[in-house]
Tab-separated table of all heavy atoms in Angstrom:
chain	number	residue	atom	x	y	z
A	110	GLY	N	0.799	-1.143	0.079
A	110	GLY	CA	0.019	-0.038	-0.014
A	110	GLY	C	0.859	1.270	0.055
A	110	GLY	O	1.910	1.220	-0.651
A	111	GLU	N	0.420	2.187	0.844
A	111	GLU	CA	1.083	3.538	0.808
A	111	GLU	C	2.407	3.498	1.691
A	111	GLU	O	2.333	2.655	2.686
A	111	GLU	CB	0.198	4.658	1.366
A	111	GLU	CG	-0.979	4.884	0.417
A	111	GLU	CD	-0.563	5.411	-0.913
A	111	GLU	OE1	0.384	6.243	-0.964
A	111	GLU	OE2	-1.207	5.017	-1.904
A	112	VAL	N	3.356	4.241	1.315
A	112	VAL	CA	4.592	4.268	2.134
A	112	VAL	C	4.314	4.663	3.654
A	112	VAL	O	4.684	4.044	4.590
A	112	VAL	CB	5.595	5.321	1.525
A	112	VAL	CG1	6.730	5.585	2.564
A	112	VAL	CG2	6.137	4.791	0.297
A	113	SER	N	3.383	5.603	3.887
A	113	SER	CA	3.074	6.079	5.184
A	113	SER	C	2.486	4.950	6.118
A	113	SER	O	2.839	4.815	7.211
A	113	SER	CB	2.230	7.314	5.126
A	113	SER	OG	0.925	6.940	4.485
A	114	VAL	N	1.671	4.054	5.327
A	114	VAL	CA	0.989	3.032	6.119
A	114	VAL	C	2.084	2.007	6.475
A	114	VAL	O	2.110	1.421	7.574
A	114	VAL	CB	0.004	2.362	5.193
A	114	VAL	CG1	-0.682	1.074	5.903
A	114	VAL	CG2	-1.147	3.325	4.906
A	115	ALA	N	3.008	1.726	5.628
A	115	ALA	CA	4.066	0.791	5.859
A	115	ALA	C	4.971	1.290	6.998
A	115	ALA	O	5.323	0.538	7.936
A	115	ALA	CB	4.934	0.580	4.617
A	116	VAL	N	5.282	2.582	6.992
A	116	VAL	CA	6.115	3.078	8.092
A	116	VAL	C	5.465	3.049	9.443
A	116	VAL	O	6.011	2.647	10.399
A	116	VAL	CB	6.516	4.540	7.722
A	116	VAL	CG1	7.225	5.225	8.969
A	116	VAL	CG2	7.321	4.593	6.525
A	117	ASP	N	4.101	3.383	9.439
A	117	ASP	CA	3.389	3.253	10.640
A	117	ASP	C	3.314	1.809	11.234
A	117	ASP	O	3.514	1.673	12.474
A	117	ASP	CB	1.898	3.677	10.465
A	117	ASP	CG	1.748	5.238	10.330
A	117	ASP	OD1	2.763	5.931	10.660
A	117	ASP	OD2	0.820	5.783	9.849
A	118	GLU	N	3.172	0.862	10.353
A	118	GLU	CA	3.144	-0.539	10.797
A	118	GLU	C	4.523	-0.919	11.248
A	118	GLU	O	4.700	-1.637	12.386
A	118	GLU	CB	2.707	-1.419	9.704
A	118	GLU	CG	2.397	-2.822	10.166
A	118	GLU	CD	1.749	-3.656	9.011
A	118	GLU	OE1	1.070	-3.158	8.100
A	118	GLU	OE2	1.893	-4.918	9.155
A	119	CYS	N	5.652	-0.581	10.585
A	119	CYS	CA	6.944	-0.995	11.011
A	119	CYS	C	7.363	-0.217	12.295
A	119	CYS	O	8.113	-0.706	13.057
A	119	CYS	CB	7.856	-0.642	9.860
A	119	CYS	SG	7.652	-1.706	8.462
A	120	ARG	N	6.926	1.024	12.434
A	120	ARG	CA	7.344	1.880	13.568
A	120	ARG	C	6.961	1.139	14.935
A	120	ARG	O	7.895	1.081	15.833
A	120	ARG	CB	6.701	3.187	13.527
A	120	ARG	CG	6.925	4.103	14.795
A	120	ARG	CD	6.146	5.301	14.930
A	120	ARG	NE	6.540	6.247	13.771
A	120	ARG	CZ	5.566	6.665	12.858
A	120	ARG	NH1	4.420	6.056	12.796
A	120	ARG	NH2	5.976	7.534	11.995
A	121	VAL	N	5.861	0.520	15.007
A	121	VAL	CA	5.533	-0.141	16.204
A	121	VAL	C	6.457	-1.255	16.512
A	121	VAL	O	6.934	-1.435	17.677
A	121	VAL	CB	4.072	-0.794	16.014
A	121	VAL	CG1	3.748	-1.612	17.288
A	121	VAL	CG2	3.026	0.382	15.925
A	122	GLN	N	6.885	-1.994	15.406
A	122	GLN	CA	7.759	-3.141	15.588
A	122	GLN	C	9.228	-2.572	16.098
A	122	GLN	O	9.773	-3.192	17.011
A	122	GLN	CB	7.952	-3.906	14.266
A	122	GLN	CG	6.633	-4.498	13.807
A	122	GLN	CD	6.580	-4.877	12.376
A	122	GLN	OE1	7.574	-5.488	11.875
A	122	GLN	NE2	5.617	-4.591	11.632
A	123	VAL	N	9.656	-1.621	15.401
A	123	VAL	CA	10.905	-0.956	15.838
A	123	VAL	C	10.973	-0.443	17.251
A	123	VAL	O	11.822	-0.677	17.992
A	123	VAL	CB	11.390	0.148	14.792
A	123	VAL	CG1	12.654	0.805	15.186
A	123	VAL	CG2	11.468	-0.492	13.403
A	124	GLU	N	9.944	0.227	17.611
A	124	GLU	CA	9.888	0.872	18.855
A	124	GLU	C	9.922	-0.159	19.976
A	124	GLU	O	10.516	0.048	21.029
A	124	GLU	CB	8.566	1.859	18.988
A	124	GLU	CG	8.770	3.025	18.220
A	124	GLU	CD	7.547	4.006	18.225
A	124	GLU	OE1	6.485	3.455	18.615
A	124	GLU	OE2	7.659	5.140	17.898
A	125	PHE	N	9.120	-1.270	19.827
A	125	PHE	CA	9.187	-2.385	20.778
A	125	PHE	C	10.640	-2.770	20.992
A	125	PHE	O	11.119	-2.958	22.071
A	125	PHE	CB	8.383	-3.505	20.352
A	125	PHE	CG	6.965	-3.705	20.856
A	125	PHE	CD1	5.869	-3.370	20.034
A	125	PHE	CD2	6.706	-3.940	22.144
A	125	PHE	CE1	4.567	-3.454	20.535
A	125	PHE	CE2	5.436	-3.983	22.755
A	125	PHE	CZ	4.356	-3.731	21.850
A	126	VAL	N	11.318	-3.028	19.946
A	126	VAL	CA	12.771	-3.570	19.950
A	126	VAL	C	13.606	-2.458	20.674
A	126	VAL	O	14.420	-2.864	21.591
A	126	VAL	CB	13.258	-3.913	18.553
A	126	VAL	CG1	14.774	-4.205	18.607
A	126	VAL	CG2	12.502	-5.137	17.981
A	127	MET	N	13.576	-1.253	20.265
A	127	MET	CA	14.519	-0.316	20.752
A	127	MET	C	14.254	-0.035	22.290
A	127	MET	O	15.251	0.408	22.972
A	127	MET	CB	14.485	1.006	19.976
A	127	MET	CG	14.873	0.796	18.489
A	127	MET	SD	16.401	-0.225	18.313
A	127	MET	CE	16.708	0.049	16.454
A	128	ALA	N	13.056	-0.185	22.670
A	128	ALA	CA	12.705	0.057	24.028
A	128	ALA	C	13.299	-1.170	24.928
A	128	ALA	O	13.578	-0.906	26.140
A	128	ALA	CB	11.249	0.106	24.330
A	129	ALA	N	13.456	-2.281	24.358
A	129	ALA	CA	13.940	-3.424	25.071
A	129	ALA	C	15.509	-3.625	25.085
A	129	ALA	O	16.030	-3.996	26.071
A	129	ALA	CB	13.229	-4.733	24.563
A	130	VAL	N	16.140	-3.239	24.025
A	130	VAL	CA	17.498	-3.380	23.855
A	130	VAL	C	18.315	-2.328	24.504
A	130	VAL	O	17.800	-1.178	24.376
A	130	VAL	CB	17.898	-3.571	22.324
A	130	VAL	CG1	19.377	-3.735	22.133
A	130	VAL	CG2	17.260	-4.848	21.737
A	131	SER	N	19.438	-2.598	25.054
A	131	SER	CA	20.179	-1.532	25.663
A	131	SER	C	20.694	-0.494	24.654
A	131	SER	O	20.904	-0.858	23.433
A	131	SER	CB	21.500	-2.112	26.341
A	131	SER	OG	22.273	-2.805	25.340
A	132	ASP	N	20.789	0.697	24.963
A	132	ASP	CA	20.966	1.795	24.091
A	132	ASP	C	22.302	1.724	23.339
A	132	ASP	O	22.322	2.222	22.177
A	132	ASP	CB	20.947	3.257	24.887
A	132	ASP	CG	20.895	4.353	23.876
A	132	ASP	OD1	20.007	4.484	23.101
A	132	ASP	OD2	21.880	5.151	24.087
A	133	GLY	N	23.255	1.122	23.955
A	133	GLY	CA	24.565	1.030	23.247
A	133	GLY	C	24.777	-0.131	22.418
A	133	GLY	O	25.817	-0.308	21.685
A	134	ALA	N	23.744	-1.195	22.452
A	134	ALA	CA	24.005	-2.372	21.618
A	134	ALA	C	23.740	-2.066	20.168
A	134	ALA	O	22.956	-1.315	19.788
A	134	ALA	CB	22.927	-3.389	22.119
A	135	GLU	N	24.508	-2.871	19.348
A	135	GLU	CA	24.264	-2.837	17.900
A	135	GLU	C	22.993	-3.615	17.578
A	135	GLU	O	22.678	-4.598	18.113
A	135	GLU	CB	25.357	-3.425	17.105
A	135	GLU	CG	25.160	-3.417	15.534
A	135	GLU	CD	26.304	-3.829	14.805
A	135	GLU	OE1	27.379	-4.110	15.337
A	135	GLU	OE2	26.184	-3.998	13.587
A	136	VAL	N	22.230	-3.055	16.661
A	136	VAL	CA	20.994	-3.684	16.142
A	136	VAL	C	20.938	-3.645	14.618
A	136	VAL	O	21.314	-2.709	14.037
A	136	VAL	CB	19.712	-2.926	16.694
A	136	VAL	CG1	18.451	-3.608	16.100
A	136	VAL	CG2	19.659	-3.004	18.280
A	137	ILE	N	20.497	-4.801	14.027
A	137	ILE	CA	20.301	-4.839	12.586
A	137	ILE	C	18.810	-4.924	12.376
A	137	ILE	O	18.133	-5.830	12.950
A	137	ILE	CB	21.019	-5.931	12.012
A	137	ILE	CG1	22.617	-5.781	12.152
A	137	ILE	CG2	20.819	-5.955	10.437
A	137	ILE	CD1	23.319	-7.063	11.785
A	138	LEU	N	18.298	-4.028	11.591
A	138	LEU	CA	16.810	-4.118	11.149
A	138	LEU	C	16.799	-4.678	9.728
A	138	LEU	O	17.407	-4.051	8.825
A	138	LEU	CB	16.125	-2.782	11.266
A	138	LEU	CG	16.150	-2.103	12.663
A	138	LEU	CD1	15.519	-0.678	12.575
A	138	LEU	CD2	15.319	-2.951	13.702
A	139	ALA	N	16.214	-5.785	9.577
A	139	ALA	CA	15.902	-6.217	8.149
A	139	ALA	C	14.497	-5.979	7.791
A	139	ALA	O	13.617	-6.602	8.150
A	139	ALA	CB	16.131	-7.773	8.153
A	140	TYR	N	14.376	-4.912	6.908
A	140	TYR	CA	13.056	-4.510	6.320
A	140	TYR	C	12.655	-5.410	5.240
A	140	TYR	O	13.252	-5.555	4.096
A	140	TYR	CB	13.067	-3.107	5.767
A	140	TYR	CG	11.866	-2.680	5.028
A	140	TYR	CD1	10.589	-2.809	5.705
A	140	TYR	CD2	11.886	-2.253	3.743
A	140	TYR	CE1	9.456	-2.482	5.010
A	140	TYR	CE2	10.714	-1.835	3.164
A	140	TYR	CZ	9.479	-1.995	3.778
A	140	TYR	OH	8.379	-1.689	3.153
A	141	GLU	N	11.592	-6.232	5.590
A	141	GLU	CA	11.139	-7.287	4.580
A	141	GLU	C	9.631	-7.066	4.480
A	141	GLU	O	8.907	-7.619	5.364
A	141	GLU	CB	11.474	-8.685	5.120
A	141	GLU	CG	12.956	-8.980	5.280
A	141	GLU	CD	13.244	-10.385	5.545
A	141	GLU	OE1	12.349	-11.016	6.345
A	141	GLU	OE2	14.131	-10.955	5.091
A	142	PRO	N	9.061	-6.390	3.517
A	142	PRO	CA	7.675	-6.269	3.391
A	142	PRO	C	7.049	-7.746	3.250
A	142	PRO	O	7.624	-8.495	2.457
A	142	PRO	CB	7.506	-5.587	1.961
A	142	PRO	CG	8.742	-4.781	1.862
A	142	PRO	CD	9.849	-5.698	2.505
A	143	VAL	N	6.201	-8.048	4.071
A	143	VAL	CA	5.746	-9.504	4.151
A	143	VAL	C	5.197	-9.844	2.814
A	143	VAL	O	5.352	-11.067	2.323
A	143	VAL	CB	4.694	-9.652	5.204
A	143	VAL	CG1	4.162	-11.024	5.316
A	143	VAL	CG2	5.226	-9.278	6.618
A	144	TRP	N	4.551	-9.024	2.088
A	144	TRP	CA	3.958	-9.370	0.731
A	144	TRP	C	5.030	-9.627	-0.285
A	144	TRP	O	4.657	-10.148	-1.342
A	144	TRP	CB	3.037	-8.208	0.402
A	144	TRP	CG	3.583	-6.847	0.448
A	144	TRP	CD1	3.559	-5.952	1.413
A	144	TRP	CD2	4.297	-6.160	-0.662
A	144	TRP	NE1	4.191	-4.803	1.083
A	144	TRP	CE2	4.703	-4.837	-0.152
A	144	TRP	CE3	4.695	-6.593	-1.884
A	144	TRP	CZ2	5.427	-3.986	-0.900
A	144	TRP	CZ3	5.495	-5.653	-2.678
A	144	TRP	CH2	5.837	-4.422	-2.187
A	145	ALA	N	6.240	-9.195	-0.016
A	145	ALA	CA	7.343	-9.318	-1.043
A	145	ALA	C	8.162	-10.582	-0.781
A	145	ALA	O	8.986	-10.973	-1.652
A	145	ALA	CB	8.211	-8.167	-1.056
A	146	ILE	N	8.020	-11.270	0.447
A	146	ILE	CA	8.924	-12.378	0.785
A	146	ILE	C	8.419	-13.608	-0.195
A	146	ILE	O	7.269	-13.915	-0.217
A	146	ILE	CB	8.674	-12.722	2.146
A	146	ILE	CG1	9.200	-11.718	3.163
A	146	ILE	CG2	9.407	-14.072	2.522
A	146	ILE	CD1	8.842	-11.876	4.630
A	147	GLY	N	9.420	-14.039	-0.905
A	147	GLY	CA	9.127	-15.187	-1.760
A	147	GLY	C	8.489	-14.745	-3.082
A	147	GLY	O	8.134	-15.635	-3.923
A	148	ALA	N	8.274	-13.467	-3.312
A	148	ALA	CA	7.631	-12.941	-4.593
A	148	ALA	C	8.588	-13.101	-5.664
A	148	ALA	O	9.850	-13.224	-5.561
A	148	ALA	CB	7.168	-11.605	-4.419
A	149	ALA	N	8.130	-12.976	-6.922
A	149	ALA	CA	8.852	-13.084	-8.104
A	149	ALA	C	9.826	-11.892	-8.257
A	149	ALA	O	10.999	-11.950	-8.682
A	149	ALA	CB	8.049	-13.279	-9.329
A	150	GLN	N	9.387	-10.730	-7.715
A	150	GLN	CA	10.087	-9.439	-7.845
A	150	GLN	C	10.099	-8.831	-6.498
A	150	GLN	O	9.112	-8.943	-5.665
A	150	GLN	CB	9.485	-8.477	-8.829
A	150	GLN	CG	9.478	-9.025	-10.328
A	150	GLN	CD	10.885	-9.180	-10.848
A	150	GLN	OE1	11.774	-8.477	-10.476
A	150	GLN	NE2	11.141	-10.126	-11.719
A	151	PRO	N	11.201	-8.062	-6.117
A	151	PRO	CA	11.171	-7.356	-4.926
A	151	PRO	C	10.258	-6.085	-4.992
A	151	PRO	O	9.672	-5.852	-6.037
A	151	PRO	CB	12.638	-6.890	-4.742
A	151	PRO	CG	13.098	-6.816	-6.238
A	151	PRO	CD	12.405	-7.896	-6.933
A	152	ALA	N	10.064	-5.467	-3.798
A	152	ALA	CA	9.270	-4.261	-3.842
A	152	ALA	C	9.981	-3.273	-4.622
A	152	ALA	O	11.194	-3.301	-4.900
A	152	ALA	CB	9.141	-3.725	-2.433
A	153	ALA	N	9.241	-2.261	-5.275
A	153	ALA	CA	9.862	-1.251	-6.051
A	153	ALA	C	10.915	-0.370	-5.304
A	153	ALA	O	10.773	-0.156	-4.074
A	153	ALA	CB	8.771	-0.299	-6.466
A	154	ALA	N	12.049	-0.101	-6.064
A	154	ALA	CA	13.183	0.454	-5.331
A	154	ALA	C	12.803	1.865	-4.647
A	154	ALA	O	13.248	2.092	-3.473
A	154	ALA	CB	14.288	0.754	-6.316
A	155	GLU	N	12.022	2.717	-5.350
A	155	GLU	CA	11.650	3.934	-4.666
A	155	GLU	C	10.872	3.724	-3.405
A	155	GLU	O	10.974	4.502	-2.459
A	155	GLU	CB	10.834	4.732	-5.752
A	155	GLU	CG	11.517	5.065	-6.994
A	155	GLU	CD	11.582	3.990	-8.057
A	155	GLU	OE1	10.846	2.834	-7.720
A	155	GLU	OE2	12.184	4.062	-9.106
A	156	TYR	N	9.984	2.743	-3.435
A	156	TYR	CA	9.229	2.467	-2.261
A	156	TYR	C	10.086	2.043	-1.053
A	156	TYR	O	9.993	2.546	0.016
A	156	TYR	CB	8.224	1.390	-2.635
A	156	TYR	CG	7.318	0.874	-1.530
A	156	TYR	CD1	5.999	1.506	-1.331
A	156	TYR	CD2	7.711	-0.138	-0.699
A	156	TYR	CE1	5.171	1.001	-0.270
A	156	TYR	CE2	6.857	-0.595	0.349
A	156	TYR	CZ	5.598	-0.024	0.448
A	156	TYR	OH	4.803	-0.526	1.525
A	157	VAL	N	11.037	1.157	-1.397
A	157	VAL	CA	11.884	0.577	-0.360
A	157	VAL	C	12.705	1.768	0.272
A	157	VAL	O	12.956	1.934	1.443
A	157	VAL	CB	12.823	-0.510	-0.860
A	157	VAL	CG1	13.809	-0.969	0.192
A	157	VAL	CG2	11.943	-1.760	-1.265
């Protein structure tokens, strides 16, 4: 859908993690639109 909707959904996930992990720890976030996992093509570059 829209970028803003994707960001709002992902923000909740990120905020949960950052609130739990110590501030100085390294974190890797893997942005994987669920609808694009296993799809023939990745999400559009501009969208990502």
Side-chain angles (χ1 to χ4, degrees):
E111 297 295 323
V112 167
S113 59
V114 175
V116 173
D117 285 344
E118 191 170 337
C119 292
R120 177 189 290 111
V121 175
Q122 301 165 42
V123 175
E124 288 177 344
F125 263 110
V126 170
M127 297 314 187
V130 175
S131 62
D132 189 60
E135 179 174 357
V136 175
I137 301 168
L138 299 174
Y140 172 54
E141 299 185 322
V143 177
W144 52 268
I146 297 172
Q150 297 292 330
E155 297 82 2
Y156 178 92
V157 173

